[in-house]
């Protein structure tokens, strides 16, 4: 879940948070919430988090992350 609010961008996706950080959004807070998921809040003073998240989805970084997940899944299915 992604959300833009008060010049911040919040996501529970670790890979997206890393991508946004690489693109210049400063990580403000990283917490583990009650349901066991993570929540990352990044500073987004120019409101570019939403467009960067779309850029991420279409990037090689996203494809690489998906491959990592598939390989990891193989390890746990044996």
């Amino acid at each position: 879940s992604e959300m833009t609010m008060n010049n911040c961008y919040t996501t529970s996706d670790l890979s997206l948070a890393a991508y946004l950080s690489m693109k210049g959004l400063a990580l403000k807070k990283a917490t583990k919430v009650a349901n066991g998921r993570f929540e990352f809040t990044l500073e987004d003073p120019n409101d570019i988090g939403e467009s960067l998240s779309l850029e991420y989805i279409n990037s090689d970084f996203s494809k690489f992350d998906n491959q990592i997940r598939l390989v990891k899944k193989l390890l746990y299915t044996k």
Side-chain angles (χ1 to χ4, degrees):
S1 67
E2 285 79 276
M3 177 175 28
T4 304
M5 158 173 163
N6 297 334
N7 292 327
C8 289
Y9 189 88
T10 303
T11 182
S12 60
D13 187 319
L14 172 64
S15 298
L16 176 57
Y19 185 80
L20 295 175
S21 180
M22 284 178 34
K23 290 294 189 167
L25 275 62
L27 183 63
K28 227 177 137 172
K29 187 168 80 167
T31 57
K32 191 171 184 181
V33 292
N35 63 4
R37 295 187 66 135
F38 297 103
E39 185 174 278
F40 304 96
T41 302
L42 300 103
E43 291 180 3
D44 188 11
N46 300 317
D47 289 327
I48 59 171
E50 187 71 31
S51 63
L52 286 176
S53 69
L54 292 173
E55 180 181 292
Y56 163 75
I57 289 170
N58 295 305
S59 72
D60 285 340
F61 188 84
S62 176
K63 292 173 191 169
F64 175 78
D65 182 58
N66 285 330
Q67 290 302 317
I68 291 287
R69 291 173 202 241
L70 288 172
V71 171
K72 186 177 178 182
K73 192 182 263 189
L74 284 174
L75 293 173
Y76 289 100
T77 58
K78 292 188 177 203

